[in-house]
Amino acid sequence: MHPQATPKHQDDFKLKETHPKLGERWPHGGIRGGGGWISSDRATSTYDLVEQMYYLYVRVVKGKDLPTNPVTGSCDPYVEVKLGNYRGKTQHFEKRTNPEWKQVFAFSKEKIQSSVLEVFVRDRDMVGRDDYVGKVVFDMNEVPTRVPPDSPLAPQWYRLEDRQGKNKVRGEIMLAVWMGTQADEAFPEAWHSDAASVQGEGVFSVRSKVYVSPKLWYLRVNVIEAQDVETLDKTQLPQVFVKAQVGNQILKTKLCPTRTTSPFWNEDLIFVAAEPFEEQLVLTVENKASPSKDELVGRVSLLLTEFEKRLDHRPVHSQWFNLERFGFGALEGDRRHELKFSTRIHLRVCLEGAYHVLDESTMYISDTRPTARQLWKQPVGILEVGILSAQGLLPMKTKDGRGTTDAYCVAKYGLKWVRTRTILDSFNPKWNEQYTWEVYDPCTVITLGVFDNCHLGGAAAGGAAKDSRIGKVRIRLSTLETDRIYTHSYPLLVLQPSGLKKMGELQLAFRFTCLSLAHIIYLYGYPLLPKMHYLHPFTVNQVESLRYQAMIIVAARLSRAEPPLRKEVVEYMLDVDSHMWSMRRSKANFFRIVSLFSGIISISRWLGEVSHWKNPVTSILVHVLFFILIWYPELILPTIFLYMFIIGIWNFRFRPRHPPHMDTKLSWAEAVHPDELDEEFDTFPTSKPQDIVRMRYDKIRSIAGRIQTVVGDIATQGERFQALLSWRDPRATSLFIVFCLIIAVVLYVTPFKIVLLVAGLFFLRHPRFRSKLPSAPSNFFRRLPARADSML
């Protein structure tokens, strides 16, 4: 580890502006302007933030009247599409002479080395070589071009030919062949020649997909009271509490302070639930039989669909529910008898639709809308993002003795997640995929992450493997100018136990389009979160706990999609470990606070220089301004605000031209100590040896000792202020109250302007009239007693 990064490395960590060729630009040429390429340039807004990539598409629809094998008397047909060295196959059907495949193949134009496209129909043979049925051949120069939004090319029937291509044979196949771009509707679901080596279930994990986060609700369970609580021990009254469970979330009420058969709590328990509601609310009433033993009194399971969905702060109706007594082992006859005298519990349960369920930190939140769709406002803008490519990626795994990377990109904004296709075995992958989001609040952040796909061999090959992190980028929409296209290359930085590492660069193009400027201006004075967060706020601990539960639910639901957006990917995008202790982050936050006070410190230094006449001209000008403000006090506030206006106009010339990005210096990542990084990546609870834990504990004790001293000094100064009038030091208090009386009389008989003038001239007096010793008020204050001498 080198604490000081070299200038070259610092440049690598910076944002770079790029100039890609964006928009749909079609090359000239073609036969009579119709075949081959369109003869004029065409630019549309559908895919105007990515570089165009051209593909040959082959849609295999179905076959008809295919011949049977003379030996077996059946036909198990499949289609093989061959273009140069690339071969793609459809699935095979057993004993079908009229099969329907409905599959699309896409071949990258950059890698086409053949002038002929061959489509073979073969009969699958389980023992020997597959039998040849027929083929269709296309000349690449005659393939038409399709440009969205034109309607899809209609497939046609083609007669099959023999091996030499001279004679027609029995059977027909319906095909459509055209040249298009990644804007084509067939692109996402097509078989790609780039991923020809992927087999089995891994085929699904290389495709681009759009995911939607599950609809999350806060479930508020207000446990009011219970009645007729009976326990096995009839000699003493029960002292009970209620335990509620939704899925893996378990919360408990406080123990009822008194022993009674009718306990009262009136406590709110908050859970996170996702639609469709798969879990039930399970409530158990338990008796504290002994300090180490809880005795089950009763239990009830309730479907979440039974509860009311609340859209405002008005209370919902409460309900009584009967509990099943003493667990699950009662006989049916006994249970019917028991339910006549069942323990009852009084609840007020509702699904909160007016809250926004937080699954990410409010520091870089991407959505602020409440759960209930009825409460959503109109969008204020459109965010378009073109994920162009990555450059200089590092090898993430070893395959056949060499390093390789199979990269894909994930973007998350609001409820919508997108995943690009996986580019196999490339350190400079080109995706060129464009996505669009509706923007409901400009003060939000879009997050993009790049990952290495470790599941290309299907579930059997890499079921336990995790997709590796390559890097992450955040873009705050409020820092973007409207209707401007930004094209930048973002460094992909990852902090590892060995130190800060640049994994490559991600090239993006994005544009924020404003739909309603008046609405955006209105939002700047509107609360960030829905109003229920302020009318009935959660505690800090509740917010953190609920956010963690929401992240777990979102990760679990998205990992069940096809292809799955895996748990490790979702957790990295949502910053699941952002709350964990880090010495590096603590230092970074401390220096952020220091930088905030740097302006105040510089102003105080400037005032000190003025008062000490370091620059006589400046001191004289300050004296003149001071006299003007004393005689015309109504100019004070206008002068302050006019000064801030002028500073803002002046700073406009030096405004940031590029959006912000991950700052390694601000994050304190360049000069971090190796042991601090090792501690940051430690598990919780720790898994380190005892001597390392003891060393880190001693280090934290030394830091905490300094903090303790600073806090003690602050407390001492505050107690000295209290001692002015507390008569703890009778002589000091006597002097102070006599001084206050004299000052009160002087201020009463003296005009306020004169007082300010004298005070200002005294502060700005020449150094000739100053003493190097502390002033009398400062000496008096430091002699006042504090309570530090009363501490053990």
Side-chain angles (χ1 to χ4, degrees):
M1 286 292 296
H2 300 284
Q4 298 298 326
T6 62
K8 183 176 183 294
H9 286 172
Q10 290 176 350
D11 290 339
D12 286 346
F13 296 155
K14 289 181 179 177
L15 190 70
K16 299 172 186 173
E17 192 164 6
T18 58
H19 302 282
K21 296 178 181 178
L22 303 181
E24 291 190 348
R25 301 292 178 185
W26 293 82
H28 293 280
I31 300 172
R32 301 194 187 97
W37 300 105
I38 288 179
S39 60
S40 62
D41 281 354
R42 174 186 176 116
T44 69
S45 60
T46 310
Y47 262 57
D48 61 341
L49 291 182
V50 292
E51 296 178 319
Q52 291 304 290
M53 301 176 69
Y54 306 109
Y55 290 87
L56 173 69
Y57 290 99
V58 182
R59 183 188 298 277
V60 181
V61 184
K62 56 186 175 181
K64 182 173 68 174
D65 196 24
L66 299 180
T68 58
N69 189 309
V71 178
T72 61
S74 64
C75 182
D76 302 336
Y78 71 90
V79 174
E80 181 184 66
V81 181
K82 181 176 180 292
L83 182 63
N85 295 326
Y86 293 104
R87 297 172 182 264
K89 296 179 182 180
T90 66
Q91 60 179 335
H92 79 280
F93 293 103
E94 293 186 2
K95 300 179 181 179
R96 295 273 288 275
T97 57
N98 298 303
E100 291 189 11
W101 292 285
K102 294 181 180 178
Q103 189 169 345
V104 180
F105 298 84
F107 299 87
S108 176
K109 181 177 178 290
E110 289 182 353
K111 300 178 181 179
I112 292 178
Q113 298 176 345
S114 174
S115 61
V116 174
L117 169 70
E118 297 176 290
V119 180
F120 296 95
V121 179
R122 300 185 188 277
D123 180 11
R124 184 180 178 87
D125 194 334
M126 300 299 293
V127 181
R129 187 176 179 181
D130 294 344
D131 297 326
Y132 175 89
V133 176
K135 71 175 180 178
V136 179
V137 180
F138 295 89
D139 186 348
M140 290 294 295
N141 294 320
E142 300 295 331
V143 173
T145 300
R146 183 206 165 211
V147 186
D150 291 352
S151 297
L153 202 67
Q156 301 179 31
W157 287 105
Y158 293 89
R159 287 283 302 274
L160 298 179
E161 301 174 350
D162 59 11
R163 293 180 186 273
Q164 288 75 28
K166 296 179 179 179
N167 301 315
K168 302 293 183 182
V169 297
R170 181 185 170 188
E172 295 181 73
I173 184 171
M174 182 180 279
L175 300 171
V177 181
W178 72 97
M179 192 68 74
T181 69
Q182 72 268 42
D184 203 292
E185 295 88 349
F187 179 80
E189 298 296 331
W191 173 96
H192 285 270
S193 58
D194 297 339
S197 61
V198 181
Q199 302 294 332
E201 294 183 9
V203 172
F204 299 105
S205 69
V206 301
R207 293 175 177 168
S208 57
K209 284 291 179 182
V210 175
Y211 305 84
V212 178
S213 288
K215 189 174 184 179
L216 300 177
W217 295 80
Y218 283 136
L219 175 68
R220 186 186 295 271
V221 182
N222 179 220
V223 183
I224 304 173
E225 59 180 331
Q227 288 184 352
D228 303 328
V229 176
E230 293 185 3
T231 60
L232 295 174
D233 187 1
K234 306 295 184 182
T235 59
Q236 60 178 358
L237 292 173
Q239 188 175 20
V240 297
F241 64 91
V242 176
K243 182 170 73 173
Q245 181 172 357
V246 177
N248 295 324
Q249 306 169 69
I250 300 176
L251 295 175
K252 298 178 182 179
T253 66
K254 294 177 181 175
L255 193 65
C256 185
T258 58
R259 291 186 175 274
T260 174
T261 57
S262 300
F264 183 83
W265 297 280
N266 195 25
E267 283 188 41
D268 277 352
L269 306 178
I270 312 294
F271 300 90
V272 180
E275 287 188 359
F277 300 122
E278 298 174 350
E279 298 88 3
Q280 292 185 344
L281 171 63
V282 180
L283 291 161
T284 56
V285 177
E286 299 184 21
N287 176 39
K288 200 74 175 174
S290 66
S292 59
K293 182 183 177 184
D294 297 330
E295 175 188 291
L296 183 66
V297 174
R299 178 183 183 276
V300 63
S301 296
L302 304 171
L303 295 174
L304 301 188
T305 51
E306 298 176 2
F307 304 128
E308 183 179 341
K309 295 178 178 179
R310 186 168 74 162
L311 303 182
D312 51 27
H313 62 280
R314 286 175 291 186
V316 298
H317 296 294
S318 61
Q319 291 179 278
W320 287 94
F321 296 94
N322 294 326
L323 302 184
E324 299 173 7
R325 299 180 62 185
F326 306 124
F328 315 94
L331 298 173
E332 287 300 322
D334 297 336
R335 180 173 294 182
R336 284 197 299 271
H337 177 69
E338 287 174 4
L339 288 177
K340 294 179 183 177
F341 308 100
S342 172
T343 301
R344 299 196 306 163
I345 189 167
H346 194 194
L347 304 174
R348 183 179 285 113
V349 188
C350 66
L351 291 160
E352 298 280 11
Y355 285 90
H356 170 72
V357 180
L358 294 164
D359 61 351
E360 53 198 346
S361 171
T362 52
M363 296 298 105
Y364 26 83
I365 196 169
S366 68
D367 188 21
T368 60
R369 290 171 291 171
T371 298
R373 186 177 286 270
Q374 303 95 296
L375 304 178
W376 289 6
K377 307 292 186 184
Q378 290 297 316
V380 298
I382 299 293
L383 175 65
E384 299 164 278
V385 178
I387 304 172
L388 303 180
S389 62
Q391 299 292 328
L393 298 183
L394 299 181
M396 301 299 296
K397 56 180 177 284
T398 303
K399 183 179 180 182
D400 299 330
R402 61 183 182 86
T404 181
T405 298
D406 306 315
Y408 66 93
C409 184
V410 175
K412 194 263 181 192
Y413 183 77
L415 299 176
K416 180 178 172 182
W417 299 67
V418 301
R419 169 185 177 149
T420 67
R421 68 192 189 284
T422 300
I423 305 297
L424 270 63
D425 196 13
S426 174
F427 299 133
N428 301 295
K430 289 185 178 181
W431 295 290
N432 284 306
E433 298 183 24
Q434 183 170 336
Y435 298 95
T436 304
W437 285 268
E438 290 181 330
V439 177
Y440 292 85
D441 194 317
C443 302
T444 45
V445 176
I446 180 173
T447 305
L448 301 101
V450 182
F451 302 87
D452 177 52
N453 196 333
C454 296
H455 297 84
L456 298 179
K466 289 188 176 182
D467 289 354
S468 307
R469 308 170 178 178
I470 297 179
K472 182 163 57 179
V473 172
R474 294 194 198 101
I475 303 169
R476 183 169 289 275
L477 271 57
S478 59
T479 63
L480 306 179
E481 298 175 17
T482 55
D483 302 314
R484 174 186 166 188
I485 295 178
Y486 290 84
T487 53
H488 290 96
S489 181
Y490 283 83
L492 295 171
L493 306 174
V494 172
L495 203 62
Q496 298 179 342
S498 58
L500 181 67
K501 198 169 187 179
K502 180 180 176 182
M503 309 297 289
E505 295 182 358
L506 177 64
Q507 294 188 359
L508 301 172
F510 47 90
R511 174 177 54 208
F512 175 50
T513 306
C514 174
L515 297 179
S516 172
L517 182 60
H519 196 176
I520 287 181
I521 294 172
Y522 165 75
L523 282 175
Y524 272 89
Y526 198 76
L528 181 66
L529 295 171
K531 61 183 180 181
M532 280 294 285
H533 287 267
Y534 308 97
L535 297 177
H536 296 282
F538 298 130
T539 64
V540 175
N541 289 338
Q542 277 182 319
V543 169
E544 285 300 319
S545 173
L546 292 172
R547 180 189 162 220
Y548 182 71
Q549 295 298 335
M551 283 192 291
I552 291 176
I553 292 174
V554 170
R557 290 291 177 93
L558 293 180
S559 66
R560 287 159 49 183
E562 186 60 48
L565 197 60
R566 301 194 176 274
K567 181 171 179 264
E568 61 271 17
V569 174
V570 176
E571 289 182 349
Y572 181 58
M573 297 289 288
L574 295 178
D575 284 295
V576 70
D577 55 352
S578 61
H579 64 287
M580 298 298 289
W581 159 257
S582 165
M583 182 69 77
R584 175 190 60 82
R585 280 202 201 103
S586 302
K587 286 182 180 178
N589 289 331
F590 173 77
F591 285 105
R592 284 172 63 196
I593 295 173
V594 169
S595 67
L596 289 179
F597 290 106
S598 61
I600 300 173
I601 294 170
S602 61
I603 290 174
S604 64
R605 285 177 181 170
W606 178 78
L607 287 174
E609 292 176 356
V610 168
S611 63
H612 287 84
W613 290 73
K614 294 290 179 67
N615 188 340
V617 177
T618 305
S619 298
I620 292 171
L621 289 175
V622 170
H623 275 79
V624 172
L625 179 62
F626 178 68
F627 279 115
I628 293 173
L629 295 178
I630 287 297
W631 295 114
Y632 301 100
E634 64 274 8
L635 294 179
I636 295 176
L637 289 178
T639 301
I640 293 173
F641 285 101
L642 181 63
Y643 176 74
M644 288 193 290
F645 170 77
I646 293 172
I647 291 295
I649 293 296
W650 178 261
N651 288 341
F652 180 76
R653 298 171 55 207
F654 312 105
R655 68 190 185 279
R657 302 289 180 175
H658 306 309
H661 66 290
M662 300 292 186
D663 192 330
T664 56
K665 191 173 182 181
L666 177 71
S667 306
W668 210 250
E670 295 177 358
V672 63
H673 193 275
D675 183 65
E676 293 175 2
L677 275 178
D678 187 55
E679 182 181 17
E680 184 171 339
F681 285 92
D682 191 10
T683 57
F684 188 87
T686 182
S687 57
K688 298 297 179 182
Q690 188 174 358
D691 54 341
I692 295 179
V693 175
R694 182 183 291 112
M695 180 266 291
R696 289 176 180 168
Y697 174 63
D698 290 339
K699 183 170 67 173
I700 291 177
R701 285 177 66 193
S702 67
I703 296 171
R706 296 177 210 165
I707 297 173
Q708 172 184 290
T709 303
V710 173
V711 172
D713 290 342
I714 295 172
T716 297
Q717 305 306 321
E719 288 168 354
R720 283 173 177 167
F721 271 109
Q722 290 180 335
L724 286 171
L725 295 171
S726 68
W727 294 92
R728 173 56 60 187
D729 183 343
R731 283 166 295 281
T733 304
S734 301
L735 288 171
F736 182 70
I737 61 175
V738 170
F739 172 76
C740 290
L741 178 63
I742 295 171
I743 291 297
V745 173
V746 171
L747 291 177
Y748 180 74
V749 300
T750 309
F752 189 61
K753 289 182 180 180
I754 302 298
V755 174
L756 287 178
L757 181 64
V758 172
L761 290 174
F762 179 78
F763 176 76
L764 297 172
R765 68 192 183 278
H766 196 274
R768 184 177 297 176
F769 304 106
R770 294 177 181 273
S771 171
K772 292 185 177 180
L773 297 177
S775 62
S778 174
N779 294 331
F780 179 80
F781 183 76
R782 289 176 182 172
R783 290 176 177 274
L784 291 172
R787 302 180 67 184
D789 50 353
S790 300
M791 290 185 63
L792 290 172

